[in-house]
Amino acid sequence: MTIASIRRLSPACGAEVSGLDITQPLGADRVQELHQALGENGILLFRDARLSPEQHIAFSRQFGPLEAHVVGDFNLPGHPEIFVVSNVKEEGKIKGAVYAGQYWHSDLSYMPKPSMGSLLLCHEMPKIGGDTMWANMYQAYNALSDVMKNFIGGLNAVHDYSNAYDTYFAHLKERPPLTPEQRAKTPPVEQPMVRTHSVTGKKALYVNPGFTTGIVGMPREESQPILDFLFRHSTRPEFIYRHQWRPHDLIFWDNRCTMHYALADYDFSVRRHMHRTTIAGDVPY
Ligand code: OGA
Ligand code: MN
C-alpha cells in the first residue's frame, strides 16, 4: 500500500498527506511509509484532522512512545501525553504554554534524548497571523562549504533549556524563571553539531538559537560568532516553509532535520489554542 496522496508544500520542506483515515489504525506498512515521508519532507500536514485527545494520542503512538513535558503545568489534565500550547485564559489562568516556541528551536534538543517528532493539532487560530515556520536543516547543512562541514562535523555543542527562559522569556511574567527543581531536571547537555538522520541516513545541521549556548572546548568569544553565523545561515528564506494554520490542521514534524518558530504577530486577545503530542527520540549521532 502507498500513501493515498502526498504533495510537496514548498521547495524547502513539508508535504501534505491526504486520503488517509487517521482515526483508524494505520498498519505497519503505512507507519513505515509515513516514517520515511517524514524523514524526507521534514513535516507532514494532515488537513481536517478532527481528533479527540484520545484519537490524537492513539494516532501519535503508532510512531513511537510518547513523552510528557518536563514542565508538568502545561500538560492537559487527565492526558499528560498532551502538551497544551495556548493563550486561552480560564478563571484568569492560562491553561497551557503561552509564548511557546517564539524563537527558532528543535523540540527538547536540551535533553540527552531529544524528541523525534511532535504532532501539533490546531483547535483555534486567529483569522490572521499566528503562522509557524520550519527550516530544513538538511538544506542548511548541504549549503555550507566543505571546510565548514568538516570543521563542525567533529564538534559538539551545548544545549540548555534555561537559555530560553533567561533570554526570550526574561521579560514575560507568564513565563517565570524555571524553579531550581525544573532546572535540575534539565542540566545542559552536549549534542553533535551535525546529526545523522536515523531513517534517511542524511546529515542535518543540529544547532538552534533557542537552546544552543556554546561549542564544547571553545570559550564564548570563539563559539558565539560561529553559532551566530550558523543561526543566520540556517534561517535563510530558501530553507523555510511557513504554514498558515486552519483549524483542524495536524502537523507532524521531524525534530531531527528541522527547527521551527512560532510567529507572535497576532492579537493576543484572540484565542490561539493547540494540542501537541511528543514522540520520544534517540541519542543524536
Ligand atoms: C511547539 C511549538 C509552535 C506553535 O509546540 O513545539 O514550538 O506555532 N509551537 O505554536
Ligand atoms: Mn516547539
Side-chain angles (χ1 to χ4, degrees):
M1 283 242 254
T2 52
I3 298 168
S5 164
I6 183 153
R7 180 181 69 89
R8 241 356 235 195
L9 291 167
S10 79
C13 57
E16 179 179 348
V17 177
S18 49
L20 260 193
D21 182 356
I22 64 171
T23 65
Q24 298 303 312
L26 293 169
D29 290 354
R30 269 284 153 80
V31 169
Q32 211 33 57
E33 254 179 68
L34 288 173
H35 268 300
Q36 190 69 35
L38 179 71
E40 281 163 13
N41 295 288
I43 81 167
L44 299 178
L45 165 67
F46 302 85
R47 295 272 194 201
D48 212 29
R50 289 166 197 272
L51 303 178
S52 65
E54 290 79 9
Q55 289 172 321
H56 184 187
I57 291 168
F59 178 67
S60 306
R61 272 220 173 102
Q62 300 175 95
F63 302 97
L66 305 187
E67 56 192 8
H69 198 266
V70 270
V71 180
D73 320 353
F74 305 140
N75 298 333
L76 188 67
H79 293 290
E81 303 88 346
I82 290 185
F83 174 76
V84 181
V85 175
S86 186
N87 64 2
V88 175
K89 274 192 181 151
E90 273 166 30
E91 291 143 23
K93 206 177 164 283
I94 292 175
K95 294 280 165 77
V98 65
Y99 307 115
Q102 296 181 350
Y103 44 84
W104 283 105
H105 67 287
S106 173
D107 291 335
L108 286 96
S109 73
Y110 50 81
M111 297 299 280
K113 289 184 176 181
S115 68
M116 177 276 265
S118 303
L119 293 100
L120 189 61
L121 178 59
C122 175
H123 288 288
E124 292 176 86
M125 189 50 57
K127 282 217 164 45
I128 188 158
D131 297 357
T132 307
M133 301 192 290
W134 281 266
N136 182 328
M137 301 301 271
Y138 295 134
Q139 289 182 357
Y141 174 76
N142 289 336
L144 294 170
S145 68
D146 289 342
V147 175
M148 183 59 95
K149 284 180 185 156
N150 285 334
F151 174 59
I152 63 172
L155 298 176
N156 288 323
V158 179
H159 293 240
D160 189 343
Y161 186 42
S162 61
N163 183 61
Y165 286 76
D166 297 342
T167 55
Y168 305 99
F169 295 153
H171 60 294
L172 299 172
K173 68 174 182 336
E174 297 89 345
R175 296 299 296 259
L178 290 176
T179 63
E181 294 73 39
Q182 288 167 338
R183 220 165 253 263
K185 276 194 210 162
T186 56
V189 299
E190 296 178 7
Q191 305 287 13
M193 293 180 70
V194 177
R195 96 177 266 193
T196 304
H197 195 285
S198 47
V199 173
T200 63
K202 293 196 282 189
K203 287 182 178 176
L205 187 60
Y206 194 60
V207 290
N208 65 76
F211 307 130
T212 311
T213 55
I215 297 176
V216 177
M218 281 185 181
R220 199 175 184 90
E221 63 174 345
E222 285 182 9
S223 64
Q224 201 56 50
I226 298 168
L227 290 174
D228 285 341
F229 159 72
L230 292 171
F231 297 157
R232 201 165 63 242
H233 168 81
S234 53
T235 53
R236 271 164 49 177
E238 297 87 327
F239 306 146
I240 291 169
Y241 167 66
R242 176 168 173 162
H243 187 68
Q244 210 174 345
W245 294 92
R246 298 183 199 157
H248 318 297
D249 280 353
L250 172 67
I251 286 193
F252 184 5
W253 70 81
D254 192 324
N255 285 309
R256 298 163 294 189
C257 60
T258 63
M259 60 176 182
H260 56 284
Y261 182 108
L263 275 89
D265 58 353
Y266 51 96
D267 174 356
F268 266 62
S269 65
V270 179
R271 295 159 72 103
R272 187 181 190 274
H273 188 71
M274 326 267 266
H275 280 178
R276 189 188 90 190
T277 54
T278 313
I279 299 180
D282 300 321
V283 175
Y285 58 92

